[in-house]
Amino acid sequence: MEENKQTLYYDELLSILPDGVIIFDVSGEVIQLNRQALTELHVHPSVNEILPLPTNHLFKLLNKKEDILSTILQKIRQGEKTYSLPEHTFMQEQVDCTQFPIRGEFATIREKSKLKKILFFFRNITVELTQEYILNTALQRTRIYPWYYDISRSEFTLDDRYFEHLGIPAGENNTLTMEEYVNMIHPDDRQTMTDAFVVQLSGNTTFDKTVPFRLRRGDGTWEWFEGQSTYIANISGHPYRLVGICLSIQEYKDIENTLIEARKKAEESDRLKMAFLANMSHEIRTPLNAIVGFSDVIGSSYDELSEEERADFVRLISVNSEHLLRLIDDILDLSKIESDTIKFTFTDCSLKSLMMDIEKEQAVKSTSEIDIRAILPDEDIYINTDATRLKQVVCNFINNARKFTEKGYIHFGYAVDSIRADSVHIFVEDTGLGIPQECQKEIFDRFYKVDIFKQGTGLGLSICKTIVEHLQGEIFVESEVGKGSCFSVTLPFKRQAED
Ligand code: ADP
């Protein structure tokens, strides 16, 4: 009677277990299955009435494609008390022959150390594996790193990928002590992190704010992260473990910085544009006034003027007309660049002829104090370029040099680059005012002028830079205040094979 009660109690217990339980007799035949095992094996509960049955009527245990059940039972019969199934073990039920991954354990019931029954507990882990797979796939595709903090051991446990991502060695069992972790945080962010931890450790409170902070990478650089955590509490609401994630936000920070830079640039360009418009009326008016004024004087008092005065006024009209023309050309070029309609025609062009043409043109307007000369090597060089645009760049350099040089020389020319034989170096050197070091980067920006009171629009060099870029070259300046400047351009050059 007592034994019957115990069996009933024992059957009841087996039927509510969430794991499958299969009981074997010593010979290895199945003598009982609990409810979960029946469900997993797709068999009707009435099967319990026709037991015992050989195992292969009900299921197989497959690992690396082999049925391992008989080997396990053999080991147990030989004395092993428990046996855990190896990873990647599958159960195959024999009704529909479907297979599913399981985790499981064998145990034994002995009487006076004599083996009586063999118990097999197993769990179908399809759902667990699916979720694990989904989570791993999601984590691998993002820069989110889960972690947990064991409060009693003051120890962080982090994901493998976290150490890999930061390029630092993983601590023992992927753990870091609080001290090690704090040492990795940027000194300016430590307080914010400590505050967030204090709030979280106090428990009984939800804390769903994200905390941005920087961590030192293995190569010594800083990377921005965003941390978020929650806690697992005991029954009294006191946390015993913090769990959270770290998300790398460096990419967003970089984009944010680029946008801030771009906004600053746009604001600066806007400011310069406004200054340009204000300046423009003055720039156009000055030469126009001179042209109109001197033409009026010549027209109204032609006979009263001496030959010398007339020649002087005509020269002034010509200088101012030329200036006005250049101004308008610059504005037209700028608008072409803005609308991306600037056109280039590449042909083979002799640098020697180009420089000699420029020298002739400059000689016409040469002033006696400055020696304006082309310094040319014996060898002529042919490059494939847009000769008109290249001439525009060199003339712009020379015109600037003239504006800022009172005595000395302006020398210009070309040379094959001594270091890179596949590029040619074109230069304009003067002994003028020079440009302060701190302004040298900006002089290629639109509307930039070192001295806003000097004549000019601040457009010439930025136009030159764009042209040179279209010619696949680079533009440079070297300058020293009081000594002079050297503007140069390097352009690609392919020496023709000699016949
Ligand atoms: P601008 O029409 O005002 O000359 P640029 O873009 O050609 O415009 O030049 C920008 C500024 O660079 C000039 O205003 C001047 O301050 C400086 N600069 C250019 N070339 C020289 C030079 N050869 N010597 C000294 N300063 C120069």
Side-chain angles (χ1 to χ4, degrees):
M1 186 68 188
E2 201 47 39
E3 200 178 318
N4 257 355
K5 233 186 190 175
Q6 218 174 3
T7 315
L8 269 176
Y9 180 66
Y10 165 77
D11 284 349
E12 194 61 32
L13 194 68
L14 279 185
S15 73
I16 58 165
L17 273 184
D19 283 4
V21 181
I22 298 173
I23 304 172
F24 305 85
D25 63 14
V26 182
S27 72
E29 294 216 317
V30 176
I31 53 169
Q32 195 175 354
L33 297 151
N34 79 341
R35 193 186 297 166
Q36 186 60 24
L38 292 168
T39 313
E40 296 290 4
L41 297 179
H42 297 175
V43 287
H44 195 268
S46 60
V47 83
N48 266 323
E49 285 151 30
I50 53 159
L51 292 175
L53 273 177
T55 54
N56 57 7
H57 278 54
L58 295 163
F59 71 95
K60 282 183 182 171
L61 278 189
L62 303 170
N63 187 273
K64 294 182 188 148
K65 293 187 182 157
E66 272 177 39
D67 190 350
I68 55 171
L69 182 58
S70 52
T71 321
I72 297 171
L73 292 175
Q74 183 66 21
K75 277 187 182 169
I76 288 174
R77 272 194 230 103
Q78 282 167 356
E80 260 180 56
K81 295 203 170 85
T82 58
Y83 182 90
S84 291
L85 285 182
E87 263 193 72
H88 310 298
T89 298
F90 284 76
M91 192 170 216
Q92 178 177 307
E93 49 82 15
Q94 298 301 81
V95 178
D96 308 309
C97 287
T98 52
Q99 294 176 359
F100 48 89
I102 56 166
R103 243 178 235 140
E105 182 107 16
F106 285 81
T108 50
I109 297 178
R110 289 168 192 271
E111 253 171 43
K112 293 183 189 139
S113 76
K114 199 156 179 277
L115 182 64
K116 285 284 171 192
K117 284 175 186 168
I118 302 167
L119 304 177
F120 173 42
F121 300 86
F122 69 92
R123 186 175 335 139
N124 181 341
I125 55 168
T126 309
V127 176
E128 253 172 85
L129 280 187
T130 312
Q131 278 169 354
E132 198 178 304
Y133 176 80
I134 291 171
L135 182 68
N136 280 342
T137 314
L139 289 178
Q140 247 137 39
R141 287 180 148 264
T142 57
R143 293 207 175 130
I144 297 175
Y145 306 100
W147 56 265
Y148 65 82
Y149 178 67
D150 186 329
I151 295 172
S152 60
R153 300 161 71 123
S154 294
E155 207 173 69
F156 284 96
T157 303
L158 296 127
D159 198 276
D160 269 347
R161 293 161 43 247
Y162 188 70
F163 295 97
E164 223 173 88
H165 174 80
L166 284 174
I168 55 170
E172 204 179 318
N173 302 323
N174 286 2
T175 57
L176 288 174
T177 61
M178 178 59 114
E179 197 191 343
E180 284 169 333
Y181 196 67
V182 169
N183 278 339
M184 286 166 62
I185 300 174
H186 193 286
D188 294 351
D189 304 332
R190 282 183 198 163
Q191 195 55 49
T192 332
M193 282 297 270
T194 314
D195 293 348
F197 262 99
V198 169
V199 174
Q200 195 75 104
L201 289 171
S202 68
N204 290 326
T205 164
T206 43
F207 179 79
D208 46 19
K209 267 197 273 168
T210 52
V211 184
F213 63 100
R214 278 158 288 180
L215 279 185
R216 199 183 30 245
R217 295 180 51 85
D219 60 7
T221 55
W222 295 104
E223 176 164 348
W224 276 102
F225 281 88
E226 208 168 65
Q228 199 167 13
S229 64
T230 184
Y231 60 85
I232 306 175
N234 59 20
I235 201 88
S236 57
H238 199 73
Y240 65 91
R241 185 166 275 195
L242 300 190
V243 289
I245 52 156
C246 265
L247 164 69
S248 168
I249 53 165
Q250 190 57 48
E251 225 175 290
Y252 308 114
K253 281 277 174 195
D254 289 345
I255 295 172
E256 187 181 314
N257 287 339
T258 316
L259 287 177
I260 292 172
E261 268 311 299
R263 195 185 61 199
K264 268 199 214 148
K265 264 205 152 151
E267 281 169 359
E268 175 66 1
S269 144
D270 210 37
R271 193 186 64 73
L272 289 169
K273 223 172 211 169
M274 294 308 284
F276 165 74
L277 285 175
N279 192 26
M280 217 48 219
S281 56
H282 167 78
E283 288 296 329
I284 294 177
R285 253 166 208 282
T286 314
L288 253 184
N289 279 341
I291 296 165
V292 173
F294 289 120
S295 326
D296 275 355
V297 176
I298 295 173
S300 60
S301 348
Y302 188 86
D303 294 333
E304 290 141 50
L305 296 173
S306 68
E307 194 68 23
E308 217 169 276
E309 280 172 325
R310 270 186 233 140
D312 204 26
F313 289 172
V314 168
R315 188 185 60 79
L316 284 169
I317 291 172
S318 153
V319 166
N320 281 288
S321 307
E322 198 185 306
H323 176 63
L324 196 60
L325 197 66
R326 229 184 47 230
L327 197 70
I328 289 164
D329 279 347
D330 277 357
I331 295 168
L332 287 177
D333 274 345
L334 178 73
S335 91
K336 278 188 206 150
I337 288 169
E338 289 277 358
S339 60
D340 208 16
T341 53
I342 185 161
K343 290 259 174 330
F344 289 84
T345 315
F346 284 72
T347 52
D348 282 342
C349 123
S350 147
L351 279 183
K352 201 168 219 169
S353 318
L354 186 98
M355 293 297 165
M356 279 160 59
D357 284 353
I358 296 174
E359 190 177 42
K360 270 186 223 141
E361 281 170 28
Q362 291 295 330
V364 179
K365 44 185 179 178
S366 184
T367 50
S368 55
E369 293 86 33
I370 325 167
D371 168 35
I372 305 183
R373 205 152 29 103
I375 308 283
L376 304 175
D378 292 339
E379 184 192 17
D380 191 3
I381 280 178
Y382 284 82
I383 59 170
N384 190 263
T385 193
D386 184 322
T388 315
R389 290 292 177 191
L390 179 57
K391 192 171 165 194
Q392 180 183 349
V393 172
V394 178
C395 289
N396 198 100
F397 288 167
I398 297 174
N399 290 336
N400 277 351
R402 292 176 78 113
K403 232 172 12 186
F404 299 102
T405 309
E406 288 193 341
K407 55 182 189 309
Y409 64 80
I410 299 171
H411 288 165
F412 57 99
Y414 63 88
V416 173
D417 200 308
S418 52
I419 301 163
R420 290 166 47 198
D422 59 351
S423 78
V424 62
H425 180 76
I426 296 163
F427 64 90
V428 175
E429 192 183 349
D430 68 50
T431 50
L433 217 58
I435 303 161
Q437 190 72 31
E438 65 277 13
C439 306
Q440 288 179 19
K441 239 175 91 187
E442 277 146 308
I443 55 169
F444 297 104
D445 290 348
R446 281 172 192 179
F447 312 121
Y448 185 83
K449 289 160 62 164
V450 176
D451 180 352
I452 52 164
F453 297 108
K454 281 267 179 193
Q455 188 196 51
T457 55
L459 284 176
L461 287 178
S462 93
I463 293 171
C464 288
K465 187 165 182 258
T466 312
I467 292 176
V468 172
E469 278 164 6
H470 278 85
L471 299 179
Q472 277 108 44
E474 284 178 276
I475 196 163
F476 305 95
V477 62
E478 278 172 58
S479 186
E480 204 179 322
V481 173
K483 286 205 166 159
S485 312
C486 181
F487 281 84
S488 58
V489 165
T490 54
L491 291 178
F493 156 63
K494 228 195 267 157
R495 194 180 286 278
Q496 306 279 317
E498 282 181 27
D499 294 332

